[in-house]
Amino acid sequence: MRNWLILHVLSACCFGCRAEENVIQPTEDVMVVEGQPTTLACIFDTTDLSPYLFWYKQQTNSNPMFMLRRDTFGAGETSTEFKERFHARLNVTAKSVPLTIQKVQLSDSAVYYCALRPTVTTVYSAPLQKL
């Protein structure tokens, strides 16, 4: 018996984006059989000649988690827990950065966001000390 999963795909708002910049994820829900690969589409539009594209994963009742970043002139960055089965390649000519998930697992059921600029930031805090 095959288990079907639904992956939800949403476009994230750009943080500090200009009016001519946007991200489009043409498919909102992707149904996939557990154990099979799938690809989530992300198309972007920007006048930036070296854009940074991000993928985030958000599971029910939790904050979005940074998955990976792809940019024009570097290898980008991938969070440790996503290095093995999650891959994306930035195609500046086609203005796309599809996310491929190998061997989809039940734990992959989530909402996936593609973003043109970072939308989740880490706030570092240190305990206050009296001098």
Side-chain angles (χ1 to χ4, degrees), residues 16-108:
C17 282
R18 297 179 293 268
E20 65 273 9
E21 297 180 319
N22 63 41
V23 174
I24 302 161
Q25 291 179 262
T27 307
E28 290 185 9
D29 292 331
V30 176
M31 286 185 57
V32 62
V33 176
E34 189 175 13
Q36 295 297 309
T38 192
T39 299
L40 308 179
C42 176
I43 301 165
F44 63 92
D45 191 20
T46 182
T47 56
D48 191 341
L49 298 177
S50 55
Y52 286 76
L53 276 294
F54 297 79
W55 276 98
Y56 297 93
K57 175 183 178 181
Q58 184 174 18
Q59 292 182 303
T60 306
N61 298 322
S62 45
N63 294 324
M65 295 183 335
F66 167 76
M67 296 175 67
L68 56 86
R69 181 197 85 237
R70 294 295 178 263
D71 53 75
T72 309
F73 299 109
E77 177 185 1
T78 302
S79 183
T80 304
E81 65 191 275
F82 297 106
K83 284 187 177 180
E84 194 170 311
R85 295 183 306 109
F86 296 80
H87 306 282
R89 175 169 283 151
L90 175 61
N91 184 331
V92 178
T93 306
K95 294 189 174 186
S96 70
V97 61
L99 176 69
T100 300
I101 307 171
Q102 300 296 328
K103 298 180 183 174
V104 172
Q105 301 172 0
L106 187 58
S107 61
D108 296 332

